[in-house]
Amino acid sequence: VNNYIYDTTQTAVVSQGFTYNISLTPSNAYPVGFGIWMDFNQNGDFGDSGEFVFSSAPGTTTVYGTITIPSWADSGLTGMRIRIFYFATPGDTDYCTTSPYGETEDYPVYILPPFPFDAGATSIISPQGCKFDSSEAVTVVIQNLGLNTLYAGDTIFTSFTLDTLAPVNEYLILSDSLLSGSTILFSYAATIDLSAYSTFQLTVSAWV
């Protein structure tokens, strides 16, 4: 099928009951609308109630949104479909319609049940940009991904890895309670030297 991609190189891992940020960027100058579906009941299609999770009107700039994984979603491996329509806004029944222009991309998604205690590094605040120096701060967003509140005095362990270098491990002792689903910024004491890099990969993680 023309303009169809099934990308198995990227698998998102999400948890029931949590909300995740998304961003979608057009790859050309023509206005496009985005639509996203997720096969929450894992029956092989995207036509069931609640499986149309995002849409945007045609535009030429990055669009932002959120996707909430419902508590009733089946755990395990499922699929996510992203469709791009030129000059049109996708609707809920457009998960398998024909379009003269556009693209359809499917991705594997693994849905986890919520854990009583869990945490994760959900995004990198810094370093950002295109010019770096020899002492760049690393700041990340850490989210309470568990069902229960984390309280003052609880410890969240976190780590970052620059390319293939040894990981840097540090920890955060909470000064206030962190409710389920809430986030907190964490800046590592260690900095990184990016002055010689034109491209790099920075991987972060957090756990309790």
Side-chain angles (χ1 to χ4, degrees), residues 82-133:
I82 302 175
R83 299 202 71 190
I84 304 166
F85 282 16
Y86 282 68
F87 305 100
T89 302
D92 60 345
T93 60
D94 287 323
Y95 59 91
C96 199
T97 56
T98 59
S99 175
Y101 301 103
E103 187 167 308
T104 301
E105 301 176 2
D106 284 354
Y107 297 89
V109 175
Y110 200 90
I111 299 177
L112 296 173
F115 295 100
F117 296 98
D118 196 11
T122 56
S123 61
I124 299 173
I125 302 300
S126 64
Q128 293 281 356
C130 57
K131 186 177 182 180
F132 304 102
D133 60 29

Side-chain angles (χ1 to χ4, degrees), residues 6-202:
Y6 180 39
D7 188 348
T8 60
T9 65
Q10 303 181 70
T11 301
V13 179
V14 296
S15 293
Q16 297 165 344
F18 287 90
T19 299
Y20 298 87
N21 296 323
I22 59 168
S23 64
L24 301 159
T25 303
S27 59
N28 55 55
Y30 297 103
V32 297
F34 292 98
I36 301 179
W37 295 258
M38 295 187 70
D39 185 16
F40 288 130
N41 63 0
Q42 300 177 23
N43 70 341
D45 65 52
F46 301 96
D48 300 292
S49 176
E51 294 188 335
F52 183 49
V53 296
F54 179 82
S55 69
S56 67
T60 58
T61 59
T62 300
V63 295
Y64 301 90
T66 59
I67 294 176
T68 298
I69 309 302
S71 58
W72 50 262
D74 288 348
S75 60
L77 189 66
T78 189
M80 176 177 68
R81 172 162 295 176
I82 302 175
R83 299 202 71 190
I84 304 166
F85 282 16
Y86 282 68
F87 305 100
T89 302
D92 60 345
T93 60
D94 287 323
Y95 59 91
C96 199
T97 56
T98 59
S99 175
Y101 301 103
E103 187 167 308
T104 301
E105 301 176 2
D106 284 354
Y107 297 89
V109 175
Y110 200 90
I111 299 177
L112 296 173
F115 295 100
F117 296 98
D118 196 11
T122 56
S123 61
I124 299 173
I125 302 300
S126 64
Q128 293 281 356
C130 57
K131 186 177 182 180
F132 304 102
D133 60 29
S134 60
S135 184
E136 290 287 342
V138 179
T139 300
V140 300
V141 175
I142 293 177
Q143 184 174 15
N144 180 355
L145 299 176
L147 292 175
N148 296 335
T149 298
L150 297 173
Y151 293 100
D154 287 344
T155 300
I156 298 176
F157 300 93
T158 184
S159 175
F160 75 78
T161 303
L162 175 63
D163 287 345
T164 59
L165 299 178
V168 174
N169 301 307
E170 296 187 12
Y171 59 89
L172 164 66
I173 298 178
L174 294 175
S175 57
D176 294 297
S177 296
L178 189 64
L179 300 176
S180 174
S182 296
T183 60
I184 188 172
L185 290 180
F186 175 73
S187 294
Y188 289 85
T191 60
I192 51 177
D193 181 1
L194 296 177
S195 58
Y197 285 81
S198 57
T199 62
F200 61 89
Q201 178 174 303
L202 186 64

